[in-house]
Every structure is written in structure tokens, then in C-alpha cells.
Amino acid sequence: KSFMYSLLFFTTLPLFGLVFLGFIVAKFSLFNQNDAKILLKFIGLIILPTLGIKIIGELRYEYINWNLYFLYLVSQCFIYFCGFFLTKNFFKRSNAESIVIGMTSAFSNHLFFVYPIALFEFEAKHVVPIETIISADFITVGLSVCALDYLTNKDIKFNEIFIKQLKNPALI
């Protein structure tokens, strides 16, 4: 039993450590706005796509429960659109901000929180549902980024957005 608690503690400690580190960096202004943008770009263009490639590349398709996956996807879309609808109609925000709120509502933190714990706690075949969901999130995020590009860049054409996303490492 103590092994279980220590395992849980050591799988969540790095996440909370990073959150605390981010708090300290912001509190003492160790990074300026440009530094933060560079780090965010590094994470979005290098770290997340690399992790996504690892997860998708090692996915055990024979263990995918397609009914569970489909129902999760439906519920994720429902939550996404509820977040969008409430933000747009109740709080009277822009479409772009409503998309961001919809994304925030729909995507739980399974990539950085649930997935590492599951890797320590379960056999590989029991982690497949989480890996399947993470794989689908890359597509949903890519589509959301396309929508945001379209809404924030009125001069850009749809085919230009599509070509731009073909160069997006997370979507690739």
C-alpha cells in the first residue's frame, strides 16, 4: 500500500513541481513576455509533437475499444461545444475566445497528468484508451487551430490555412 502511495506521489510530483516552478518564475519576473513566448513555442512545436509521435507510434491498435473511444469523442465534442456556446452566448465573447474556452473545457490534462500515472500503474494494454484519446486530441487541436487562424486572420484563405496546418508539427 505504501508503494502505491509513493508511486502516485512520484508520478505527480514532477507535474506539481513544474507548476510551482512556473509560479516562481512568474512571481519574480525571471522571464519576460518574449521569453515565455519562446518557451511556449518550444513546447508546442518540439516537445508536444515528439511526445505525440511516441504515443501514436507505439499505440497498440489491437487493444482499442472503439465503442469507448467513440463515446469519449462524442462527450468531448459535447463539452467543447457547451463551453463554446456558453462563452459566446452567455458571456458575449468573440468566436476566437469561445473556441479557446471550448478547448479548455474539453481537454482534460490527460497528457501530462493521467498518462504518466497510468504508465506506472497499469500494464501497457490497459493504457491504450488514454493513448487513443491523446491521439485524437492532436486532430481536434489541429482543427481548432485552423478555426482560430480563420477567425483571427480575415485575409487568409481556407486553402492557405490547410497548407499551414500541414506544416504544424503537432498535427503531422
Side-chain angles (χ1 to χ4, degrees), residues 46-142:
I46 306 294
I47 303 298
L48 283 176
T50 303
L51 185 56
I53 289 168
K54 177 194 175 298
I55 291 170
I56 293 169
E58 296 175 354
L59 189 63
R60 294 155 207 85
Y61 294 97
E62 66 272 16
Y63 296 117
I64 294 177
N65 180 337
W66 291 104
N67 290 331
L68 175 67
Y69 174 66
F70 175 74
L71 290 173
Y72 177 84
L73 198 56
V74 167
S75 64
Q76 184 182 53
C77 290
F78 177 75
I79 293 168
Y80 187 109
F81 288 114
C82 284
F84 176 88
F85 181 80
L86 286 172
T87 305
K88 180 73 180 157
N89 295 310
F90 185 73
F91 294 105
K92 308 291 185 208
R93 300 297 187 178
S94 69
N95 284 333
E97 190 173 354
S98 298
I99 288 172
V100 171
I101 297 300
M103 288 173 60
T104 305
S105 302
F107 301 134
S108 59
N109 201 350
H110 43 263
L111 182 60
F112 291 118
F113 190 64
V114 175
Y115 185 64
I117 293 171
L119 286 175
F120 282 104
E121 292 288 330
F122 301 109
E123 293 177 38
K125 69 179 182 179
H126 296 299
V127 179
V128 171
I130 298 166
E131 293 171 335
T132 307
I133 289 165
I134 291 169
S135 301
D137 285 351
F138 281 100
I139 295 168
T140 310
V141 169

Side-chain angles (χ1 to χ4, degrees), residues 16-27:
F16 291 115
L18 287 173
V19 170
F20 180 71
L21 181 63
F23 172 77
I24 295 298
V25 165
K27 185 76 172 165

